[in-house]
Structures are given as structure tokens and as C-alpha cells.
């Protein structure tokens, strides 16, 4: 039986939010509230580091600029999922 798409989306979202909170010390409630990375002061350097972590830990390859500071967590997860599906 296949895992429903919603569960996969939530799993990726949970893993990405956990990585951001764990590695960079951000509050998960704030991250999940729908604010942009800019509003949380997550800059491009953190997003590049996140991309490297995603490659190492999840095997997802993101190009520089795929993740933008104007994104919310949901928007970033959509990009990450799309890249994972291409792999």
C-alpha cells in the first residue's frame, strides 16, 4: 500500500523544520506559523547550509538559489519535495 501524499508532505515538512530548529536554533512554533524565512532572520547563508544538510542527510540536491529567504516553510518544503521527486 502506498503512503498517502499528505503523509509524505507532512513527513518532509516535519523533518525540514526539525533540521532548521536543531541545527540553527530556531523556534519550531514560529517556523510553523507561516512567517517567511526573512521574518525569522534566516538569511541566504543559513539556506545554503540547510541545502548542504539536506543533501547529506536526505540525499536531496538543491541548487544555490532554490531556497529563498522570501519563502515560508511550506513553500520551501514544496521545492524540496519537487527536487526529491526528480532524483
Amino acid at each position: 500500500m502506498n503512503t498517502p501524499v499528505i503523509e509524505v508532505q507532512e513527513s518532509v515538512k516535519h523533518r525540514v523544520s526539525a533540521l532548521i530548529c536543531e541545527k540553527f536554533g530556531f523556534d519550531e512554533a514560529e517556523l510553523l506559523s507561516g512567517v517567511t524565512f526573512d521574518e525569522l532572520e534566516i538569511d541566504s547563508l543559513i539556506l545554503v547550509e540547510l541545502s548542504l544538510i539536506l543533501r547529506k542527510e536526505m540525499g536531496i540536491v538543491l541548487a544555490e538559489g532554490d531556497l529563498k529567504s522570501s519563502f515560508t516553510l511550506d513553500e520551501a518544503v514544496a521545492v524540496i519535495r519537487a527536487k526529491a521527486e526528480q532524483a
Side-chain angles (χ1 to χ4, degrees):
M1 175 162 55
N2 291 339
T3 305
V5 173
I6 300 285
E7 286 182 31
V8 171
Q9 288 173 340
E10 288 303 311
S11 175
V12 171
K13 182 177 178 176
H14 174 74
R15 184 67 186 127
V16 171
S17 69
L19 280 172
I20 292 171
C21 295
E22 180 182 307
K23 302 287 185 182
F24 305 107
F26 290 94
D27 179 63
E28 190 168 26
E30 271 190 307
L31 190 60
L32 295 172
S33 72
V35 298
T36 66
F37 292 145
D38 267 338
E39 293 171 310
L40 291 171
E41 298 182 6
I42 296 176
D43 61 18
S44 59
L45 180 59
I46 291 174
L47 294 175
V48 168
E49 289 180 55
L50 177 61
S51 295
L52 294 172
I53 292 167
L54 290 169
R55 177 182 292 187
K56 182 179 177 184
E57 294 194 13
M58 298 175 71
I60 299 169
V61 179
L62 297 168
E64 188 174 333
D66 280 347
L67 297 180
K68 301 181 184 339
S69 58
S70 61
F71 284 0
T72 63
L73 178 63
D74 287 333
E75 292 167 327
V77 167
V79 169
I80 293 164
R81 282 190 60 250
K83 291 291 184 171
E85 289 171 3
Q86 291 175 0

